[in-house]
C-alpha cells in the first residue's frame, strides 16, 4: 500500500447515493455525471425496475442454484432468446457478469498448445481469460493488423483464437473489424469480440459494432454486457447453437456459479425491448459524442484515435490525472481519473463517458474546463 500511495495509485472509497443519471451524488455531492457506463440512461429507468420487480414477485429474488442444477429460470431463458434475436444469431448464454463471460469462454475455446492473439489494450477480463486458458498468449500492439498477421503466420498451433474488444474501454478506439475478419479467415483462426461498451449503442438494431460494420458472418463468438448501455447487469456470449451447447459443458464460471437473479435477467430483457422502441437514444448519443469530440479536436485537445462516446483526455502521470479530475469536480463535473493498471504507466487520463441524457451545455462546460485545465 505504501508503494501504491507513493505512486499516486491509492483508490478512493466513493459512495454514491440515489441512482445513476445525468447527475450523480458522490459522497454527498451532486455532480454532472461523466463517470458511468449508463450510456442510454436506462440504469435508473423505472421501466427496468418494474420489470425486475415483476420477475422477483413471480420467481423470487435469488436464483438459488447454478444454471445446470435448477438456477436457470424462465427469466434467463427469455433473456437468452432476446439476445439471440437482437444479434440475429442461433443462441446465447447469459453469465452473472461480462467479466465472467470472458474468463469462462476463452479457456473453453483454447488450451495448452493452442495460440491466442490478444490486442494490447484488451479489457482485464480478456487478459485473465487468456491466462486461465494456459494457451500460448501473444499480445499484439493495439489494432496493429500487420503484427497480428505476422504472429499468426509464425504460430505452429493448430487452433488459433483472436480476441479483441470492439470499442476499447479506456481509449475509446474501435477495433478494425473488417480487417480482423479477413485475417482470421486467412489463418483459420476463431474470432472472438467483446462488445461490452458497444452493445446497445451501435448498429441499426443496437446490437453493437459487428452489426454496424456488417461483419457478423466473419465473427464466431460475440460477448456483450447488460451492465453498461442496457442499464441492468450480467454478460452474454452469443453465436452458433454448437458454440453455446459447448459452453454449457465447459464454461466454468457459468457451470460453477449461481445464476444471477431472475429479476436482473428480466431487467435486461426489458432494456433490449427498449432498444427496439427507442432507437433515437443511440442516434442522439452518437451525434452528441461526435460533436463533443469535434469540439475538443478544434480546441487542440488530442483524442488519440477515440471515435465513440468514451472520450479520454490523457494527463500523463497518475497524480496529473487525479489533479485534473479534481479540477473538473471543483467545476461540478464527475470525470474519473483512470490510472494503472487500467492504463499503461505514464498514460493516466480522465475518461469522459458521454451519455444520452447529457445536454449540449454540459458538454460545452466540460470542454471549456478541460481546455482551461490544460493551458
Ligand atoms: C471490454 C469489457 N469487457 C467486459 C467487462 C466486464 O463487464 P461487466 O461489468 O458486466 O462484468 C468490461 C467492464 O468494464 C469491459 O469494459
Amino acid at each position: 500500500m505504501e508503494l501504491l500511495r507513493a505512486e499516486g495509485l491509492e483508490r478512493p472509497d466513493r459512495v454514491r447515493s440515489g441512482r445513476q443519471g445525468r447527475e450523480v451524488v458522490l459522497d454527498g455531492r451532486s455532480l454532472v455525471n461523466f463517470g458511468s457506463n449508463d450510456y442510454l440512461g436506462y440504469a435508473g429507468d423505472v421501466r427496468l425496475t418494474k420489470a425486475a420487480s415483476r420477475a422477483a414477485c413471480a420467481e423470487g429474488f435469488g436464483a438459488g442454484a447454478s444454471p445446470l442444477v435448477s438456477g436457470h429460470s424462465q427469466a434467463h431463458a427469455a433473456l437468452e432468446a432476446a439476445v439471440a434475436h437482437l444479434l440475429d444469431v442461433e443462441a446465447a448464454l447469459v453469465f452473472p457478469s461480462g467479466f465472467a463471460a470472458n474468463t469462462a469462454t476463452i479457456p473453453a475455446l483454447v488450451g495448452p498448445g493452442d495460440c491466442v492473439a490478444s490486442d494490447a489494450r484488451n479489457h482485464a477480463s480478456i487478459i485473465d481469460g487468456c491466462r486461465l486458458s494456459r494457451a500460448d498468449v501473444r499480445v499484439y500492439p493495439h489494432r496493429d493488423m500487420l503484427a497480428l498477421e505476422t504472429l499468426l503466420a509464425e504460430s505452429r498451433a493448430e487452433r488459433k483464437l483472436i480476441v479483441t474488444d470492439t470499442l476499447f474501454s479506456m481509449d475509446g478506439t474501435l477495433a478494425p473489424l473488417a480487417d480482423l475478419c479477413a485475417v482470421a479467415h486467412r489463418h483459420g483462426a476463431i474470432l472472438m469480440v467483446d462488445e461490452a461498451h458497444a452493445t446497445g449503442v451501435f448498429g441499426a438494431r443496437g446490437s453493437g459494432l459487428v452489426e454496424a460494420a456488417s461483419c457478423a458472418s466473419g465473427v464466431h463468438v460475440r460477448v456483450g454486457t447488460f451492465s453498461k448501455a442496457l442499464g441492468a447487469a450480467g454478460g452474454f456470449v452469443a453465436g452458433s447453437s454448437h458454440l453455446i451447447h459447448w459452453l454449457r459443458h465447459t464454461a466454468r464460471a457459468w457451470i460453477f456459479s449461481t445464476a444471477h437473479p431472475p429479476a436482473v435477467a428480466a431487467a435486461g430483457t426489458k432494456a433490449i425491448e427498449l432498444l427496439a422502441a427507442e432507437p433515437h437514444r443511440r442516434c442522439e448519443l452518437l451525434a452528441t459524442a461526435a460533436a463533443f469530440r469535434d469540439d475538443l479536436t478544434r480546441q487542440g485537445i488530442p483524442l488519440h484515435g477515440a471515435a465513440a462516446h468514451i472520450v479520454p483526455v490523457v494527463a500523463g502521470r497518475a497524480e496529473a490525472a487525479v489533479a485534473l479530475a479534481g479540477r473538473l469536480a471543483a467545476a461540478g463535473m464527475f470525470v474519473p481519473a483512470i490510472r494503472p493498471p487500467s492504463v499503461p504507466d505514464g498514460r493516466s487520463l480522465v475518461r469522459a463517458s458521454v451519455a444520452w441524457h447529457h445536454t449540449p451545455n454540459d458538454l460545452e462546460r466540460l470542454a471549456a474546463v478541460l481546455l482551461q485545465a490544460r493551458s
Side-chain angles (χ1 to χ4, degrees), residues 37 97-100 102 123 125 165 167 169 194 196-197 225 227-228 234-235:
N37 304 315
S97 71
F99 201 103
N102 280 327
H123 187 255
S125 54
D165 287 18
L167 165 52
S169 55
D194 179 353
H197 293 270
T225 66
S227 39
K228 305 192 191 301

Side-chain angles (χ1 to χ4, degrees), residues 72-235:
H72 189 70
S73 72
Q74 285 184 336
H76 298 103
L79 179 55
E80 288 174 353
V83 170
H85 182 258
L86 173 68
L87 271 68
D88 195 19
V89 293
E90 286 175 357
L93 194 65
V94 166
F95 288 76
S97 71
F99 201 103
N102 280 327
T103 53
T105 300
I106 297 169
L109 297 175
V110 284
D114 297 333
C115 169
V116 189
S118 174
D119 188 289
R121 300 275 171 85
N122 275 343
H123 187 255
S125 54
I126 295 181
I127 296 171
D128 288 4
C130 289
R131 288 175 180 158
L132 280 172
S133 76
R134 289 176 291 147
D136 176 19
V137 181
R138 304 287 178 91
V139 176
Y140 59 91
H142 186 43
R143 300 193 296 167
D144 185 336
M145 293 299 98
L146 201 60
L148 172 62
E149 186 106 48
T150 308
L151 83 81
L152 288 173
E154 283 170 3
S155 168
R156 291 281 152 265
E158 238 172 71
R159 184 182 292 260
K160 298 171 190 176
L161 170 71
I162 303 170
V163 58
T164 181
D165 287 18
T166 58
L167 165 52
F168 288 85
S169 55
M170 298 301 152
D171 302 83
T173 45
L174 308 183
L177 280 173
D179 295 343
L180 282 159
C181 290
V183 174
H185 183 70
R186 270 199 293 281
H187 293 271
I190 305 169
L191 179 56
M192 168 171 166
V193 304
D194 179 353
E195 296 254 48
H197 293 270
T199 308
V201 177
F202 289 92
R205 292 151 58 96
S207 76
L209 280 158
V210 169
E211 182 194 356
S214 303
C215 58
S217 61
V219 179
H220 308 99
V221 186
R222 289 158 78 178
V223 174
T225 66
F226 307 107
S227 39
K228 305 192 191 301
L230 296 183

Side-chain angles (χ1 to χ4, degrees), residues 256-306:
F256 296 105
S257 185
T258 300
H260 73 331
V264 177
T269 306
K270 173 53 79 177
I272 290 178
E273 218 178 285
L274 295 177
L275 281 187
E278 300 178 343
H280 63 277
R281 288 205 187 196
R282 55 183 172 275
C283 297
E284 288 164 18
L285 165 61
L286 291 175
T288 307
F292 177 58
R293 292 194 311 273
D294 286 351
D295 193 18
L296 294 187
T297 306
R298 252 195 320 275
Q299 310 214 38
I301 297 180
L303 296 182
H304 305 285

